[in-house]
Amino acid sequence: HAVQQQGNESTEKIIVSYNAESETLKFGCNSGYFLENIKHLASERFLLRFKDSNSAIIFEPQEQMAGEHRLMVLMPIRLDEK
């Protein structure tokens, strides 16, 4: 994973398994909220589900305890394409 900062903006790249038709996906979000969602999942492996870069991001632990269905939702931030 790599972090790149410019002024008050930063970009972070992480290694993921990505299963979709498009090769490139970009989405923006508040990094603090992103990390909070991961923290509350209490799982090293999790799934991110979303339709496109403007739809809600749903976090789900890959494995859940019997009778439990935990998920977290995060709304994206619109990115200015440059």
Side-chain angles (χ1 to χ4, degrees):
H1 114 280
V3 177
Q4 191 176 37
Q5 288 188 298
Q6 295 176 343
N8 62 355
E9 293 183 15
S10 74
T11 301
E12 186 157 355
K13 295 180 182 181
I14 56 176
I15 297 171
V16 298
S17 295
Y18 178 54
N19 195 11
E21 294 175 14
S22 169
E23 287 187 29
T24 302
L25 174 70
K26 291 183 181 182
F27 68 91
C29 65
N30 179 304
S31 61
Y33 294 154
F34 189 89
L35 293 173
E36 278 295 311
N37 279 346
I38 293 170
K39 178 177 141 185
H40 288 290
L41 290 175
S43 176
E44 279 190 28
R45 297 174 142 287
F46 56 91
L47 304 172
L48 292 179
R49 299 181 191 275
F50 45 93
K51 184 171 61 174
D52 56 39
S53 61
N54 295 317
S55 7
I57 303 162
I58 299 172
F59 294 70
E60 287 185 88
Q62 195 164 7
E63 296 178 11
Q64 301 203 39
M65 296 173 63
E68 178 181 63
H69 186 76
R70 183 180 295 203
L71 63 88
M72 306 292 288
V73 176
L74 178 64
M75 295 306 294
I77 298 170
R78 286 197 194 274
L79 297 174
D80 291 333
E81 293 297 324
K82 296 178 181 179

